Amino acid sequence: MSNVLSRFNPSLATLPVYVPGRPIEEVAREHGLDPASIIKLASNENPFGPSPKALVAMETVLRQLHLYPDGSASVLKRALAESLGVRTENLILGNGSNELLEFVGHAMMCPGVEVVVPEFCFAVYPIVTALFGATLVTVPAVDFAADIDGLIRAITPRTGVLFLANPNNPTGTRTSRENILRLLREVPKDVLIVMDEAYIEFLEDPVDLVPQILSGQQTNLLLCRTFSKIFGLAGLRLGYGIASPALISAFEKVRQPFNINSIAQAGALAALQDHDHQARTRDNNRVGVEYFQSAFKAMGLPYVPSHANFVLAKTGRGGAVFAALQQRGIITRPMGSYGLTDWLRISVGTPAENARCLIALREVLAAMPAV
Ligand SMILES: *Cc1c(COP(=O)(O)O)cnc(C)c1O
């Protein structure tokens, strides 16, 4: 019998599926828990919530929702450009930085194109690559970190795109200044380098690649950033790309006219100016990463030293540990889909959340039958 599914894009048949962190409401229902008692340390969200200034700004837009949003998000873009020291022509906005990754797919990927990624890269890169029928080339990691020489060596005349997150999710590793600059120098200029900087605001001493773009030296570089992490607006869906004006106008062609809704434009504008909220989040994160890492050290749990707002720890049987923590109202992230079945990723929460998570983790590990 004929079936409409047979007409679907053949890439969809083997497309890997993104497994998000479990939502609080769903876990509450499943385990008969009070949603208010559940803590979510699963998706690297901001434990302090959105900036209070953003909340006020978003409320004031509600009455204007009968109007289409500003299709070019001009007010937000001007503020963003000013805060970054770039021109609005250097910016493109996405419905989450995930949408920017999809723009790259639309604009550059098709069967025959190779896409180079490091092992343990963010799950969305392989998904976008598969969606557009391009070929993923995975370069083995060294101590969980991207092997920059390996990435450079993996480039062929068929390579269209190279993705690198710095710091990386889910490992929390970072790439040194020297290695980043070498990568930018050595990758041919007809290969797009997507530098995913979702966690850059958590770094004490970030490598600023904006000057490389402004000088016109790096016409093949797209920096991707987001309001989902330090800005505490993951539910709003807003990310931005920074690149040369030529690259930006090429990507603009694949962007839907109203991809950034009015609430997101207002909320992000206010959040951008709330430096206290960002500083408080950064300080809390530094303390939280240190807290988890020193506890793991004391417990004899291997972990990957983190430069982001989460820690990847080798608990053994990550799926089982995740399930046992979830029963206790703590949502973390098992890493089986990354091939890290013995590992668990824990996002940094408030000090109280971190302490509760650690107490539960100790209990769970003590009760775990030996294999
Ligand atoms: C969280 C994250 C993002 C952000 O995604 P949004 O779509 O902006 O919410 C992008 N890249 C990496 C590596 C991430 O971990």
Tab-separated table of all heavy atoms in Angstrom, residues 43-44 95-99 101 122 125 165 167-169 196 198-199 225-229 234 237-239, ligand 1:
chain	number	residue	atom	x	y	z
A	43	SER	N	19.577	21.209	32.465
A	43	SER	CA	19.699	21.862	31.157
A	43	SER	C	20.538	23.133	31.202
A	43	SER	O	20.399	23.994	30.324
A	43	SER	CB	18.311	22.156	30.587
A	43	SER	OG	17.563	20.960	30.489
A	44	ASN	N	21.399	23.239	32.223
A	44	ASN	CA	22.335	24.365	32.318
A	44	ASN	C	21.642	25.717	32.331
A	44	ASN	O	22.139	26.706	31.791
A	44	ASN	CB	23.371	24.296	31.181
A	44	ASN	CG	24.029	22.926	31.114
A	44	ASN	OD1	24.043	22.202	32.115
A	44	ASN	ND2	24.571	22.565	29.971
A	95	ASN	N	15.896	32.083	16.911
A	95	ASN	CA	14.965	31.574	17.917
A	95	ASN	C	15.718	30.538	18.755
A	95	ASN	O	15.636	29.335	18.536
A	95	ASN	CB	13.769	30.945	17.181
A	95	ASN	CG	12.632	30.608	18.117
A	95	ASN	OD1	12.481	29.469	18.556
A	95	ASN	ND2	11.848	31.579	18.445
A	96	GLY	N	16.507	31.057	19.675
A	96	GLY	CA	17.513	30.241	20.352
A	96	GLY	C	18.719	30.167	19.434
A	96	GLY	O	18.587	30.348	18.209
A	97	SER	N	19.916	29.949	19.995
A	97	SER	CA	21.056	29.821	19.082
A	97	SER	C	20.933	28.525	18.293
A	97	SER	O	21.548	28.373	17.240
A	97	SER	CB	22.391	29.935	19.812
A	97	SER	OG	22.499	28.997	20.829
A	98	ASN	N	20.086	27.617	18.748
A	98	ASN	CA	19.811	26.422	17.941
A	98	ASN	C	19.305	26.768	16.545
A	98	ASN	O	19.604	26.072	15.584
A	98	ASN	CB	18.764	25.537	18.631
A	98	ASN	CG	19.409	24.603	19.629
A	98	ASN	OD1	20.426	24.003	19.335
A	98	ASN	ND2	18.840	24.485	20.796
A	99	GLU	N	18.527	27.843	16.451
A	99	GLU	CA	18.038	28.196	15.120
A	99	GLU	C	19.178	28.681	14.231
A	99	GLU	O	19.170	28.459	13.015
A	99	GLU	CB	16.921	29.251	15.184
A	99	GLU	CG	16.183	29.314	13.846
A	99	GLU	CD	15.212	30.459	13.678
A	99	GLU	OE1	15.368	31.497	14.362
A	99	GLU	OE2	14.301	30.346	12.853
A	101	LEU	N	22.112	27.460	14.262
A	101	LEU	CA	22.765	26.240	13.783
A	101	LEU	C	21.978	25.685	12.589
A	101	LEU	O	22.560	25.180	11.623
A	101	LEU	CB	22.860	25.212	14.907
A	101	LEU	CG	23.583	25.695	16.181
A	101	LEU	CD1	23.521	24.635	17.281
A	101	LEU	CD2	25.035	26.073	15.883
A	122	PHE	N	28.147	19.115	21.092
A	122	PHE	CA	26.737	19.402	21.356
A	122	PHE	C	25.863	18.609	20.377
A	122	PHE	O	26.135	18.570	19.173
A	122	PHE	CB	26.529	20.911	21.175
A	122	PHE	CG	25.166	21.428	21.523
A	122	PHE	CD1	24.495	21.015	22.665
A	122	PHE	CD2	24.559	22.383	20.714
A	122	PHE	CE1	23.246	21.518	22.987
A	122	PHE	CE2	23.318	22.908	21.028
A	122	PHE	CZ	22.653	22.471	22.172
A	125	TYR	N	24.597	19.613	16.600
A	125	TYR	CA	25.423	19.658	15.375
A	125	TYR	C	25.202	18.399	14.509
A	125	TYR	O	24.953	18.528	13.308
A	125	TYR	CB	26.922	19.848	15.663
A	125	TYR	CG	27.297	20.910	16.683
A	125	TYR	CD1	28.471	20.811	17.409
A	125	TYR	CD2	26.491	22.021	16.903
A	125	TYR	CE1	28.830	21.763	18.344
A	125	TYR	CE2	26.842	22.982	17.845
A	125	TYR	CZ	28.009	22.836	18.564
A	125	TYR	OH	28.364	23.770	19.494
A	165	ALA	N	32.365	24.165	20.096
A	165	ALA	CA	31.802	24.936	21.205
A	165	ALA	C	32.913	25.221	22.203
A	165	ALA	O	33.685	24.338	22.553
A	165	ALA	CB	30.684	24.159	21.886
A	167	PRO	N	33.271	27.386	25.912
A	167	PRO	CA	33.465	26.030	26.428
A	167	PRO	C	32.471	25.057	25.780
A	167	PRO	O	31.447	25.470	25.259
A	167	PRO	CB	33.159	26.163	27.925
A	167	PRO	CG	33.292	27.619	28.225
A	167	PRO	CD	32.919	28.341	26.973
A	168	ASN	N	32.827	23.768	25.880
A	168	ASN	CA	31.992	22.750	25.247
A	168	ASN	C	30.935	22.200	26.204
A	168	ASN	O	31.170	22.077	27.395
A	168	ASN	CB	32.877	21.591	24.766
A	168	ASN	CG	32.089	20.557	23.993
A	168	ASN	OD1	31.364	20.889	23.050
A	168	ASN	ND2	32.180	19.301	24.390
A	169	ASN	N	29.793	21.870	25.651
A	169	ASN	CA	28.754	21.120	26.343
A	169	ASN	C	28.652	19.778	25.609
A	169	ASN	O	28.515	19.791	24.393
A	169	ASN	CB	27.427	21.898	26.228
A	169	ASN	CG	26.248	21.114	26.747
A	169	ASN	OD1	26.406	20.188	27.533
A	169	ASN	ND2	25.056	21.476	26.293
A	196	ASP	N	30.701	28.121	18.824
A	196	ASP	CA	29.509	28.197	19.671
A	196	ASP	C	29.931	28.667	21.065
A	196	ASP	O	30.607	27.947	21.795
A	196	ASP	CB	28.865	26.807	19.706
A	196	ASP	CG	27.555	26.780	20.471
A	196	ASP	OD1	27.297	27.683	21.275
A	196	ASP	OD2	26.792	25.813	20.253
A	198	ALA	N	28.017	29.587	23.755
A	198	ALA	CA	26.844	29.635	24.642
A	198	ALA	C	27.224	29.897	26.100
A	198	ALA	O	26.428	30.432	26.867
A	198	ALA	CB	26.061	28.321	24.538
A	199	TYR	N	28.457	29.506	26.476
A	199	TYR	CA	28.874	29.632	27.886
A	199	TYR	C	29.992	30.658	28.071
A	199	TYR	O	30.612	30.700	29.123
A	199	TYR	CB	29.326	28.263	28.415
A	199	TYR	CG	28.237	27.218	28.296
A	199	TYR	CD1	28.186	26.364	27.199
A	199	TYR	CD2	27.243	27.121	29.264
A	199	TYR	CE1	27.166	25.429	27.076
A	199	TYR	CE2	26.223	26.192	29.146
A	199	TYR	CZ	26.189	25.353	28.050
A	199	TYR	OH	25.176	24.433	27.929
A	225	ARG	N	25.968	32.964	20.164
A	225	ARG	CA	25.758	33.179	21.605
A	225	ARG	C	24.271	33.102	21.918
A	225	ARG	O	23.446	33.054	21.016
A	225	ARG	CB	26.338	34.533	22.033
A	225	ARG	CG	27.846	34.568	21.811
A	225	ARG	CD	28.472	35.780	22.426
A	225	ARG	NE	29.883	35.868	22.070
A	225	ARG	CZ	30.629	36.950	22.255
A	225	ARG	NH1	30.085	38.053	22.778
A	225	ARG	NH2	31.907	36.950	21.925
A	226	THR	N	23.948	33.110	23.202
A	226	THR	CA	22.560	32.851	23.577
A	226	THR	C	22.136	33.606	24.831
A	226	THR	O	22.980	33.952	25.667
A	226	THR	CB	22.361	31.333	23.797
A	226	THR	OG1	20.996	31.096	24.144
A	226	THR	CG2	23.249	30.789	24.905
A	227	PHE	N	20.851	33.842	24.927
A	227	PHE	CA	20.257	34.386	26.167
A	227	PHE	C	19.760	33.259	27.075
A	227	PHE	O	19.145	33.519	28.102
A	227	PHE	CB	19.117	35.360	25.824
A	227	PHE	CG	19.620	36.716	25.423
A	227	PHE	CD1	20.101	36.954	24.142
A	227	PHE	CD2	19.643	37.758	26.339
A	227	PHE	CE1	20.595	38.196	23.777
A	227	PHE	CE2	20.133	39.019	25.990
A	227	PHE	CZ	20.615	39.232	24.710
A	228	SER	N	20.027	32.007	26.701
A	228	SER	CA	19.486	30.872	27.461
A	228	SER	C	20.276	30.549	28.717
A	228	SER	O	19.766	29.889	29.608
A	228	SER	CB	19.462	29.618	26.585
A	228	SER	OG	18.604	29.792	25.492
A	229	LYS	N	21.536	30.956	28.796
A	229	LYS	CA	22.373	30.483	29.879
A	229	LYS	C	22.569	31.595	30.914
A	229	LYS	O	21.764	31.728	31.811
A	229	LYS	CB	23.690	29.937	29.317
A	229	LYS	CG	23.454	28.839	28.243
A	229	LYS	CD	22.975	27.540	28.807
A	229	LYS	CE	22.226	26.611	27.858
A	229	LYS	NZ	22.879	26.194	26.660
A	234	ALA	N	16.110	30.885	28.922
A	234	ALA	CA	16.067	29.728	28.020
A	234	ALA	C	14.675	29.520	27.419
A	234	ALA	O	14.537	29.101	26.266
A	234	ALA	CB	16.523	28.467	28.753
A	237	ARG	N	13.734	31.734	24.096
A	237	ARG	CA	14.317	31.354	22.817
A	237	ARG	C	14.930	32.543	22.078
A	237	ARG	O	14.310	33.126	21.188
A	237	ARG	CB	13.286	30.630	21.903
A	237	ARG	CG	12.494	29.531	22.566
A	237	ARG	CD	13.350	28.457	23.236
A	237	ARG	NE	14.265	27.850	22.297
A	237	ARG	CZ	15.574	27.699	22.533
A	237	ARG	NH1	16.124	28.102	23.658
A	237	ARG	NH2	16.345	27.129	21.637
A	238	LEU	N	16.112	32.908	22.459
A	238	LEU	CA	16.821	33.953	21.730
A	238	LEU	C	18.320	33.687	21.717
A	238	LEU	O	18.944	33.502	22.751
A	238	LEU	CB	16.565	35.334	22.354
A	238	LEU	CG	17.205	36.470	21.547
A	238	LEU	CD1	16.512	36.666	20.215
A	238	LEU	CD2	17.215	37.769	22.320
A	239	GLY	N	18.860	33.661	20.522
A	239	GLY	CA	20.298	33.538	20.354
A	239	GLY	C	20.744	34.549	19.315
A	239	GLY	O	19.920	35.120	18.609
B	1	LIG	C1	22.637	25.527	25.671
B	1	LIG	C2	23.449	25.537	24.439
B	1	LIG	C3	23.098	26.321	23.371
B	1	LIG	C4	21.943	27.281	23.494
B	1	LIG	O1	20.849	26.878	22.821
B	1	LIG	P1	19.631	27.882	22.686
B	1	LIG	O2	18.975	27.394	21.458
B	1	LIG	O3	20.199	29.264	22.544
B	1	LIG	O4	18.823	27.742	23.924
B	1	LIG	C5	23.882	26.341	22.242
B	1	LIG	N1	25.010	25.606	22.185
B	1	LIG	C6	25.407	24.855	23.213
B	1	LIG	C7	26.683	24.121	23.132
B	1	LIG	C8	24.627	24.782	24.355
B	1	LIG	O5	25.006	24.012	25.367
